[in-house]
Amino acid sequence: MADPSIQTFCCHKPHFGNPSVLLMSEFDSTPYNSVCLVSSLLGCFGAVYQMLPRTEKSLSRRWFSLTSQRGRQIVVWLALADFLASLGVFMRSVMKLHGPMTLAWENRSVVFCSIVAAWIEYFYMVTWLWTLLYALDTWLAFQQRQGYPKLYHTVAWSIPAFLTTAGLMLLYFPDADCHDYGLTNPDVTVVRLLPNYIIMYTVIATAMVLAPCFYIASARCIDSLVSSCLGQVTNKERSIIQTVRLRFALIVFVFAICWIPNIINGIVIWSSWGDLPVSFLLGLWYCMAVLNPLQAFFNSIVYRRSNTKINLKFNIKPVDESSPLLPSNINT
């Protein structure tokens, strides 16, 4: 699970009977971490499968390619970030199952917990941006415009680094007593906890809103692109067009189903801060424990091309990321 709620649990144990203690105890429980362990393993396997080298089967008539060399590279970077994020969830679950890291809330446990939390937040934020950049690059491809791989990497790796650092520094420094401020100075609690929620949910919401817009714009380009190049649209082309549109819809659906529970969780927490619905939140957290790491597994399905096969000989030619997503002659 990747959520700001979990990161606050790395703080020192709150005093005076703070209600968040009950939620913390469930976060350290065996059932919860067992669910995280299984889902993160599936996520790691899905990401590794997606990163395996592939060769493209020859087609007699290949009038366009949605994920050619350039698109394939974006998918590989997305899978790498997915793998590292799922790996972080896996490591956290293993440590808690063999000895809860925050059971004693010692400084050493707090430091280790915060490092793992930062790892998970950073790489999941990278996956959200690569998901958005893939949608953007797809739209550029259907516009027959060149992509910007260097800009993509700058955005996908540097922006999450800055946002993660800023959000967690406000949360953990100058000390890790981020819960107890709510009892003496609620304004300080808001200043320390709210920014990290805003940062994470803004990135999720941006990808969730903009990616479908780019896919809708891409889908509208398909008919005119095929008609202009072939002069007609046969039943075969119509079938491929529908397949591409279905693929766009599945990508959007997978991203939404994996991360909508997180947004609901944030809304519930900040709308009922003084009286948290513990049972409802725990149900949401189990949903997130399943769905967040499974993003990598689902991505290995929805981003996969049917005309490729795994090649374990590792003799793939170097890929030029500047090559266009659509070939210059889409009739070949």
Side-chain angles (χ1 to χ4, degrees):
M1 168 179 165
D3 192 83
S5 304
I6 294 294
Q7 288 148 10
T8 61
F9 294 171
C10 294
C11 296
H12 289 301
K13 183 177 180 180
H15 303 292
F16 311 111
N18 192 300
S20 60
V21 173
L22 178 59
L23 299 176
M24 288 184 183
S25 62
E26 184 63 29
F27 176 60
D28 286 328
S29 69
T30 298
Y32 179 84
N33 286 286
S34 298
V35 171
C36 289
L37 185 69
V38 174
S39 60
S40 61
L41 274 176
L42 290 174
C44 287
F45 289 144
V48 169
Y49 173 78
Q50 187 76 335
M51 289 187 291
L52 291 176
R54 284 173 166 78
T55 55
E56 190 171 289
K57 300 177 184 178
S58 59
L59 296 177
S60 58
R61 189 179 185 184
R62 181 170 173 258
W63 55 270
F64 79 93
S65 175
L66 175 60
T67 51
S68 66
Q69 293 180 344
R70 192 176 88 193
R72 169 65 183 163
Q73 285 298 301
I74 295 178
V75 170
V76 169
W77 288 115
L78 171 59
L80 175 61
D82 262 327
F83 172 78
L84 293 172
S86 296
L87 182 63
V89 177
F90 175 79
M91 292 189 299
R92 183 180 65 193
S93 303
V94 170
M95 291 300 298
K96 285 185 173 291
L97 287 172
H98 287 80
M101 290 182 296
T102 55
L103 186 59
W105 278 276
E106 298 174 352
N107 288 332
R108 183 174 56 184
S109 299
V110 170
V111 170
F112 184 81
C113 179
S114 60
I115 291 175
V116 175
W119 173 286
I120 296 172
E121 176 179 335
Y122 171 73
F123 283 110
Y124 269 123
M125 201 175 295
V126 171
T127 68
W128 305 333
L129 290 179
W130 275 123
T131 300
L132 176 59
L133 290 170
Y134 182 86
L136 169 63
D137 195 72
T138 299
W139 175 72
L140 290 175
F142 280 106
Q143 295 288 322
Q144 302 187 63
R145 295 166 58 183
Q146 189 174 8
Y148 305 92
K150 293 182 179 179
L151 178 61
Y152 296 163
H153 282 281
T154 301
V155 170
W157 301 107
S158 61
I159 291 181
F162 172 76
L163 295 178
T164 300
T165 301
L168 295 185
M169 284 188 67
L170 287 173
L171 182 63
Y172 297 134
F173 294 97
D175 52 59
D177 295 321
C178 56
H179 294 287
D180 291 327
Y181 284 99
L183 301 173
T184 58
N185 192 343
D187 293 336
V188 176
T189 299
V190 172
V191 169
R192 296 191 65 172
L193 271 64
L194 184 59
N196 203 41
Y197 279 87
I198 294 176
I199 286 171
M200 289 192 68
Y201 292 146
T202 298
V203 179
I204 295 176
T206 300
M208 198 174 292
V209 172
L210 292 184
C213 294
F214 286 124
Y215 285 131
I216 291 173
S218 300
R220 290 176 177 174
C221 296
I222 298 178
D223 289 333
S224 58
L225 182 63
V226 176
S227 300
S228 63
C229 293
L230 299 179
Q232 62 178 346
V233 180
T234 66
N235 289 333
K236 182 177 180 180
E237 274 72 44
R238 290 192 185 95
S239 176
I240 297 177
I241 290 172
Q242 292 302 317
T243 300
V244 172
R245 288 176 174 171
L246 176 61
R247 185 182 183 186
F248 290 164
L250 288 176
I251 291 174
V252 172
F253 174 77
V254 163
F255 187 82
I257 200 67
C258 287
W259 298 106
I260 281 180
N262 297 62
I263 295 180
I264 295 175
N265 174 72
I267 294 173
V268 171
I269 286 178
W270 287 97
S271 62
S272 57
W273 183 264
D275 185 21
L276 296 177
V278 176
S279 299
F280 181 75
L281 288 176
L282 289 179
L284 275 178
W285 289 355
Y286 272 93
C287 288
M288 290 187 282
V290 173
L291 294 173
N292 290 177
L294 283 183
Q295 174 184 248
F297 179 80
F298 293 144
N299 281 348
S300 68
I301 300 174
V302 297
Y303 285 97
R304 185 179 65 87
R305 281 199 297 166
S306 59
N307 66 319
T308 60
K309 61 179 181 179
I310 296 175
N311 182 0
L312 296 180
K313 295 180 180 179
F314 298 98
N315 57 352
I316 306 298
K317 295 180 179 180
V319 171
D320 181 10
E321 290 191 1
S322 64
S323 61
L325 189 60
L326 294 175
S328 57
N329 183 1
I330 63 175
N331 291 308
T332 60

